[in-house]
Amino acid sequence: SGRTPVTSSTVSVTGPGTATQLAGTTQPSASTVAGVAFAQQPVVTVRDAAGNTVTGATTAVTLALASGTGALSGTTTVNASGGVATFSGLSVTLPGSTTLSASAPGLSGATRSSFTHTGEPEAPTSVRVMTGTGRAGVTFTAPASNGSASTSYTVTAAPGGVTATGTSSPVTVTG
């Protein structure tokens, strides 16, 4: 009907290229407590030169401290699955500011953003209990904050298991 057929050239669609680099795709929690597993664990992705995830990569990826105090604790090397290395149970042992680095054989590494980890507060000191009829008052000296202050104190009476909570000294248990 007067139309000329047109033939297009062949278009090839290929998957990701060869793995060349690592990229930090999930950072640890921005603020953590030393010695406690990060609430948000790091995730590292194996990528090609164009930044595509290499979904067939099963590379062993290792996280280490690039800077900071203490040590990285937990399983620091995991094998990628589908090009993604998901870490779990990691923590840093001492308070301070830390930067993590990711590495894998034959790939350019990735440095993670710096994050801060505070110390857990110490236990109260100079604890004294004063009893009376049907109640007990507990006085104490609040600990140094160590970067992570206590926001409440709970006292449990034994026997009986009756509890009372307060934000400072004294805390009185009734019952």
Side-chain angles (χ1 to χ4, degrees):
S1 68
R3 294 189 179 147
T4 306
V6 176
T7 305
S8 66
S9 57
T10 304
V11 176
S12 297
V13 178
T14 59
T18 303
T20 61
Q21 60 189 322
L22 298 174
T25 48
T26 301
Q27 301 290 339
S29 306
S31 182
T32 64
V33 176
V36 176
F38 308 144
Q40 178 172 293
Q41 293 288 313
V43 177
V44 177
T45 303
V46 179
R47 294 191 172 161
D48 65 13
N52 300 306
T53 301
V54 180
T55 57
T58 58
T59 308
V61 177
T62 300
L63 285 181
L65 290 183
S67 66
T69 58
L72 184 61
S73 181
T75 303
T76 57
T77 300
V78 299
N79 289 328
S81 174
V84 178
T86 303
F87 291 84
S88 63
L90 294 178
S91 66
V92 177
T93 59
L94 295 175
S97 182
T98 295
T99 303
L100 298 178
S101 64
S103 62
L107 303 179
S108 61
T111 301
R112 323 280 295 159
S113 297
S114 180
F115 60 98
T116 301
H117 34 100
T118 58
E120 290 191 52
E122 302 289 327
T125 58
S126 304
V127 178
R128 298 184 64 189
V129 178
M130 292 160 280
T131 60
T133 304
R135 66 186 202 156
V138 178
T139 62
F140 55 88
T141 301
S145 74
N146 238 1
S148 180
S150 294
T151 57
S152 68
Y153 302 91
T154 300
V155 175
T156 304
V162 176
T163 63
T165 300
T167 58
S168 62
S169 179
V171 176
T172 302
V173 178
T174 306

